[in-house]
């Protein structure tokens, strides 16, 4: 056999040449391997290149005509599958994008000469109801009991109501507990648009205490009960049956305890690929996800089988976005993050997750499993709860809600857990202890043009007052860089609506003393490439700080309670007409950041000064409301009048 080519040395860790570290581990010096080179090397006798040609032939139909634009990217093996990413440039010299991600592994129990670090693989069943799947779950449970970082299954206080599985499908009932201790499962699933499936109401509660009709349950709930029995548990908690759905007070109290219920559950069953309660959990695996058998010839001519399986394509390694419709819903975020253990039933396979690891059904760790929500919550609480909360808000805020008023209630379980662990004081999705920095959040998942503003009851300074994803400016500042606060929070007032102290907010106000700079806000009718209005801020017609509007904005005339009329700017869901208006920048903090190499190369300024943009409130001339965030590289803009103001 000819000597290994430079690229294929990556497949043998004895010869691999590593460059720098990346999130997934070492990155090879010879990182991208053009297909045309692979073809030449196969002809010369490179057995590794022969394997790569088999991969592209199996997973990329009709690849030959575009071979000049395709490259391989091979990721470091370390007793895990080798990742082979097949990349294509749509045009010459264009940026590569990923066509397919293929994992290579050895059949379980077999060592292959020439692949000394290649991990073994267990087979994946054709259907998720196969006994082999339940054996995988039992194996994971057994291993988890030995994890130092995972809670022992000693039992916990049962929820107020729990489903008693009885001895068979005919003996299901709703059990009301009284300080009972036990082990139970919890179900995390999408309700879907249909509201016709069976639920506990004030009229059905008494009947369900005696009997829950199996035939009336939607398929997802039936499958969850089957899984719970297979695990060997007697109880399962499912929200639609364990919370009285037409009782506002019961819903508020029990919704406030949901985080505790999922945290105390022995295991959470995730119906990850189910769009609604009728879809079910058990599915036939798609043919595209089934492993393929390839052949690899060693240097002495012995042929071995290699298992190749397609994986989800993702630019950044983050399994929480690859688990199906369940990962897109806001309510399921805390159900996932607070669970001690979770089994995700996806289309292609089952994924196990606990406080210590994430494993796929073929027995391999998920790539970069530090992105797992369960492990992530635990790590952030231990290492840096302030930044941990920002990370979770950033991930949570872009998820979808059927009812917009659920935005704070749906994360109330994590908020309660954070408060218990830190002792911080909660205010409308933020914390008093970090409020001066966390007021500066930026809307980046703009959806306000599709939804009327004001449908979420939260003060304007809270990220929960808008739709779509948010990020915090303070996250952009390199760790260790000094941050100087320019404002003082004098007082915070926040009134909740209902029984849940972490739930829906009726109103809120903060009193702030800090530098307030008057500027001009202008909209001249221009839209950016995404169809979003382009607003600009000017100071004396010279300097333009970077402005991030919370939503679309409009200029309106208001009349206060005394009949006094004045103009102000407010959020809107409409495309605005051109206007100019007076607004104010409240400068909150400075991060003395130096430009990175890339910023220097691109001649980009570093935004050192950060704040929020305010307009006169529509309630009173004496108060303000937030309309956006602002950043500037010129710290001299902070020279403004120090004022005490009230923000609603």
């Amino acid at each position: 056999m000819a000597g290994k080519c430079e690229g294929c040395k990556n497949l043998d860790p004895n010869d691999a040449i590593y460059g720098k570290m990346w999130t997934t581990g070492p990155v090879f010096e010879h990182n991208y391997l053009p297909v045309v080179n692979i073809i030449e090397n196969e002809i010369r006798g490179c057995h590794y290149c022969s394997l790569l040609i088999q991969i592209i032939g199996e997973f990329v139909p009709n690849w030959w005509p575009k071979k000049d634009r395709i490259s391989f990217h091979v990721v470091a093996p370390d007793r895990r599958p080798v990742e082979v990413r097949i990349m294509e440039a749509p045009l010459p010299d264009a940026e590569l994008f990923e066509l397919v991600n293929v994992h290579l592994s050895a059949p379980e129990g077999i060592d292959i000469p020439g692949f000394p670090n290649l991990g073994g693989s267990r087979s994946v069943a054709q259907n998720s109801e196969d006994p082999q799947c339940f054996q995988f779950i039992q194996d994971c449970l057994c291993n988890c009991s030995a994890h130092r970082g995972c809670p022992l299954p000693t039992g916990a206080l049962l929820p107020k109501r729990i489903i008693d599985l009885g001895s068979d499908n005919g003996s299901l009932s709703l059990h009301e507990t009284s300080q009972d201790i036990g082990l139970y499962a919890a179900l995390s699933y999408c309700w879907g648009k249909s509201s016709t499936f069976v639920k506990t109401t004030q009229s059905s509660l008494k009947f369900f205490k005696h009997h829950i009709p199996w035939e009336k349950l939607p398929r997802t709930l039936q499958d969850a009960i089957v899984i719970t029995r297979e695990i060997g548990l007697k109880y399962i908690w499912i929200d639609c049956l364990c919370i009285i759905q037409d009782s506002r007070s019961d819903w508020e109290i029990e919704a406030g305890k949901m985080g505790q219920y999922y945290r105390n559950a022995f295991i959470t069953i995730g119906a990850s690929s189910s769009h609604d309660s009728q879809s079910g959990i058990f599915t036939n695996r798609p043919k595209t996800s089934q492993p393929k058998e390839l052949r690899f010839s060693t240097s002495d001519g012995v042929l071995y089988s290699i298992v190749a399986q397609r994986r989800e394509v993702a630019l950044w390694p983050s399994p929480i976005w690859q688990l199906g419709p369940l990962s897109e819903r806001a309510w399921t975020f805390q159900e996932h993050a607070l669970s001690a253990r979770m089994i995700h039933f996806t289309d292609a396979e089952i994924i196990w997750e606990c406080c210590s690891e994430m494993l796929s059904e073929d027995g391999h760790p998920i790539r970069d499993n530090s992105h797992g929500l369960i492990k992530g919550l635990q790590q952030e609480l231990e290492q840096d709860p302030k930044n941990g909360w920002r990370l979770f808000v950033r991930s949570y805020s872009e998820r979808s809600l059927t009812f917009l008023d659920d935005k704070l209630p749906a994360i109330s379980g994590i908020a309660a857990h954070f408060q218990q662990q830190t002792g911080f004081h909660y205010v409308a999705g933020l914390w008093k202890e970090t409020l001066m920095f966390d007021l500066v959040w930026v809307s980046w998942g703009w959806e306000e043009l599709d939804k009327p503003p004001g449908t979420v009851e939260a003060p304007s300074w809270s990220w929960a007052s808008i739709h779509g994803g948010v990020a915090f400016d303070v996250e952009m500042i390199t760790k260790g860089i000094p941050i100087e606060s320019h404002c003082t929070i004098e007082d915070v007032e926040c009134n909740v609506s209902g029984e849940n102290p972490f739930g829906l907010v009726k109103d809120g106000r903060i009193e702030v003393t800090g530098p307030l700079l008057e500027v001009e806000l202008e909209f001249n009718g221009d839209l950016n490439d995404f169809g979003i209005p382009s607003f600009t801020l000017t100071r004396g017609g010279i300097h333009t700080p970077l402005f991030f509007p919370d939503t679309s904005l409009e200029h309106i005339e208001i009349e206060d309670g005394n009949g006094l009329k004045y103009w102000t700017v407010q959020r809107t869901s409409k495309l605005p007409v051109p206007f100019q208006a007076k607004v104010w920048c409240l400068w909150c903090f400075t991060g003395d950041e130096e430009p990175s190499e890339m910023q220097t190369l691109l001649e980009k300024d570093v935004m050192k000064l950060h704040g929020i943009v305010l307009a006169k409130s529509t309630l009173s001339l004496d108060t303000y409301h937030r309309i956006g965030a602002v950043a500037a590289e010129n710290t001299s803009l902070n020279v403004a009048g120090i004022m005490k103001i009230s923000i609603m």
Side-chain angles (χ1 to χ4, degrees):
M1 169 185 166
K4 288 190 287 292
C5 59
E6 286 299 305
C8 286
K9 286 181 179 180
N10 296 346
L11 296 174
D12 185 346
N14 293 324
D15 289 332
I17 303 172
Y18 296 104
K20 54 189 177 181
M21 292 295 294
W22 190 237
T23 55
T24 50
V27 173
F28 299 114
E29 186 172 311
H30 304 285
N31 212 15
Y32 290 95
L33 320 176
V35 164
V36 288
N37 293 356
I38 298 296
I39 295 170
E40 293 175 3
N41 292 329
E42 182 196 26
I43 294 171
R44 294 172 184 161
C46 177
H47 296 179
Y48 295 95
C49 286
S50 175
L51 181 63
L52 293 175
I53 292 298
Q54 290 181 65
I55 292 171
I56 194 171
E58 288 285 353
F59 292 97
V60 183
N62 304 316
W63 63 275
W64 184 263
K66 51 186 179 183
K67 61 182 182 299
D68 293 336
R69 304 196 305 270
I70 295 180
S71 296
F72 287 92
H73 177 202
V74 183
V75 178
D78 55 353
R79 301 304 298 174
R80 298 175 9 166
V82 169
E83 277 190 58
V84 177
R85 305 176 196 175
I86 302 175
M87 321 285 287
E88 180 187 359
L91 296 171
D93 301 323
E95 186 176 345
L96 291 168
F97 70 92
E98 192 167 334
L99 290 174
V100 68
N101 185 325
V102 178
H103 281 196
L104 300 182
S105 56
E108 194 170 16
I110 296 179
D111 292 324
I112 300 178
F115 276 103
N117 273 0
L118 184 62
S121 177
R122 61 193 287 172
S123 61
V124 176
Q126 297 289 316
N127 184 283
S128 53
E129 198 175 5
D130 192 286
Q132 179 180 322
C133 297
F134 292 115
Q135 185 59 53
F136 167 69
I137 295 170
Q138 292 292 354
D139 291 345
C140 289
L141 283 169
C142 183
N143 293 334
C144 183
S145 64
H147 291 157
R148 188 173 297 177
C150 292
L152 293 172
T154 54
L157 189 68
L158 294 177
K160 181 178 180 180
R161 302 181 192 93
I162 197 84
I163 301 167
D164 188 330
L165 302 187
S167 57
D168 54 39
N169 294 340
S171 57
L172 297 173
S173 63
L174 189 62
H175 173 54
E176 288 199 329
T177 65
S178 177
Q179 301 297 306
D180 299 347
I181 301 295
L183 299 175
Y184 65 96
L187 176 63
S188 181
Y189 67 112
C190 297
W191 276 39
K193 295 181 180 179
S194 172
S195 59
T196 58
F197 62 86
V198 64
K199 296 184 282 286
T200 295
T201 61
Q202 295 176 77
S203 61
S204 65
L205 177 62
K206 185 176 180 180
F207 177 72
F208 284 175
K209 288 181 182 180
H210 296 285
H211 175 64
I212 298 174
W214 171 264
E215 65 279 2
K216 297 286 188 181
L217 295 177
R219 187 180 154 206
T220 298
L221 275 61
Q222 291 180 343
D223 289 352
I225 289 170
V226 171
I227 295 165
T228 304
R229 286 187 174 131
E230 287 287 342
I231 292 172
L233 300 178
K234 182 183 179 182
Y235 301 113
I236 184 171
W237 189 88
I238 303 175
D239 58 358
C240 69
L241 294 174
C242 297
I243 299 176
I244 303 175
Q245 297 299 314
D246 61 351
S247 169
R248 182 69 186 180
S249 62
D250 190 73
W251 187 89
E252 287 177 353
I253 293 170
E254 290 301 288
K257 296 178 181 177
M258 282 177 65
Q260 172 188 328
Y261 292 163
Y262 281 94
R263 191 165 67 250
N264 288 343
F266 172 68
I267 197 165
T268 297
I269 299 165
S272 302
S273 61
S274 302
H275 290 273
D276 54 44
S277 60
Q278 305 291 349
S279 302
I281 297 176
F282 300 129
T283 59
N284 291 317
R285 273 67 188 272
K287 290 184 178 180
T288 55
S289 69
Q290 295 302 310
K292 299 179 182 294
E293 184 176 310
L294 307 179
R295 309 296 285 174
F296 175 74
S297 174
T298 62
S299 57
D300 55 5
V302 178
L303 286 175
Y304 285 87
S305 294
I306 297 283
V307 178
Q309 187 171 14
R310 180 191 297 268
R311 290 296 188 196
E312 291 289 337
V313 169
L315 178 60
W316 302 108
S318 181
I320 60 173
W321 306 124
Q322 301 172 13
L323 299 179
L326 196 66
S327 300
E328 300 169 2
R329 302 296 300 167
W331 272 106
T332 61
F333 183 86
Q334 67 176 11
E335 296 169 6
H336 182 173
L338 291 170
S339 296
R341 304 166 190 84
M342 190 165 182
I343 39 178
H344 306 274
F345 283 79
T346 73
D347 279 332
E349 61 183 342
I350 296 170
I351 293 175
W352 164 273
E353 182 179 2
C354 63
C355 297
S356 301
E357 64 181 355
M358 290 184 75
L359 293 173
S360 60
E361 194 178 330
D362 60 12
H364 292 291
I366 297 294
R367 171 164 53 124
D368 197 12
N369 65 34
S370 63
H371 285 66
L373 271 180
I374 295 175
K375 186 176 178 181
L377 178 63
Q378 178 178 280
Q379 286 180 336
E380 293 298 337
L381 275 172
E382 291 173 356
Q383 297 171 9
D384 190 347
K386 297 175 184 178
N387 278 327
W389 180 256
R390 295 169 187 136
L391 169 67
F392 278 89
V393 167
R394 178 155 45 90
S395 300
Y396 165 78
S397 61
E398 66 177 3
R399 293 196 176 199
S400 59
L401 279 164
T402 302
F403 303 104
L404 297 176
D405 278 349
D406 286 348
K407 192 155 195 178
L408 287 175
I411 202 174
S412 62
I414 293 182
H417 186 56
F418 262 70
Q419 185 184 69
Q420 184 182 21
Q421 298 296 313
T422 64
F424 291 175
H425 298 84
Y426 189 69
V427 283
L430 299 168
W431 303 94
K432 284 185 181 180
E433 287 74 10
T434 60
L435 191 55
M436 197 61 268
F437 299 108
D438 293 345
L439 283 178
V440 190
W441 46 265
V442 174
S443 169
W444 57 269
W446 229 32
E447 298 178 18
E448 206 71 33
L449 290 175
D450 300 320
K451 300 181 177 69
T455 51
V456 180
E457 288 192 51
S460 69
W461 43 265
S462 168
W463 57 267
S465 65
I466 68 162
H467 315 300
V470 300
F472 296 89
D473 266 22
V474 72
E475 292 181 283
M476 312 291 184
I477 299 174
T478 305
K479 196 170 184 179
I481 293 291
I483 302 176
E484 180 186 0
S485 174
H486 303 307
C487 292
T488 302
I489 303 291
E490 306 289 355
D491 189 31
V492 183
E493 180 184 328
C494 196
N495 299 309
V496 298
S497 175
E499 304 288 341
N500 184 358
F502 302 95
L504 189 63
V505 173
K506 186 164 49 179
D507 55 60
R509 172 197 298 257
I510 57 175
E511 301 286 342
V512 185
T513 298
L516 200 65
L517 182 71
E518 183 180 312
V519 293
E520 288 288 327
L521 172 66
E522 181 179 1
F523 173 63
N524 61 11
D526 290 341
L527 304 180
N528 65 19
D529 293 340
F530 302 99
I532 296 174
S534 295
F535 299 95
T536 57
L537 293 179
T538 60
R539 171 67 173 170
I542 301 174
H543 187 84
T544 306
L546 196 57
F547 177 52
F548 307 93
D550 294 337
T551 69
S552 183
L553 302 171
E554 64 179 348
H555 198 209
I556 59 168
E557 189 177 32
I558 295 293
E559 182 176 321
D560 68 9
N562 299 318
L564 178 65
K565 293 183 178 181
Y566 61 95
W567 285 85
T568 188
V569 176
Q570 71 171 7
R571 297 169 179 170
T572 182
S573 59
K574 303 176 295 186
L575 283 172
V577 296
F579 69 85
Q580 284 184 325
K582 181 169 65 174
V583 295
W584 291 265
C585 295
L586 177 67
W587 298 114
C588 297
F589 63 88
T590 297
D592 196 17
E593 189 89 46
E594 293 298 324
S596 66
E597 290 183 15
M598 183 60 69
Q599 287 170 322
T600 302
L601 182 66
L602 298 176
E603 298 182 346
K604 295 286 186 180
D605 293 322
V606 177
M607 298 295 110
K608 296 186 177 184
L609 187 59
H610 303 267
I612 58 177
V613 180
L614 305 171
K616 288 292 185 179
S617 169
T618 55
L619 301 176
S620 165
L621 261 173
D622 299 328
T623 59
Y624 296 81
H625 60 224
R626 176 190 153 125
I627 59 170
V630 62
E633 74 279 3
N634 186 355
T635 56
S636 65
L637 282 173
N638 190 30
V639 181
I642 303 298
M643 295 182 61
K644 181 178 180 179
I645 60 171
S646 179
I647 308 174
M648 304 292 285

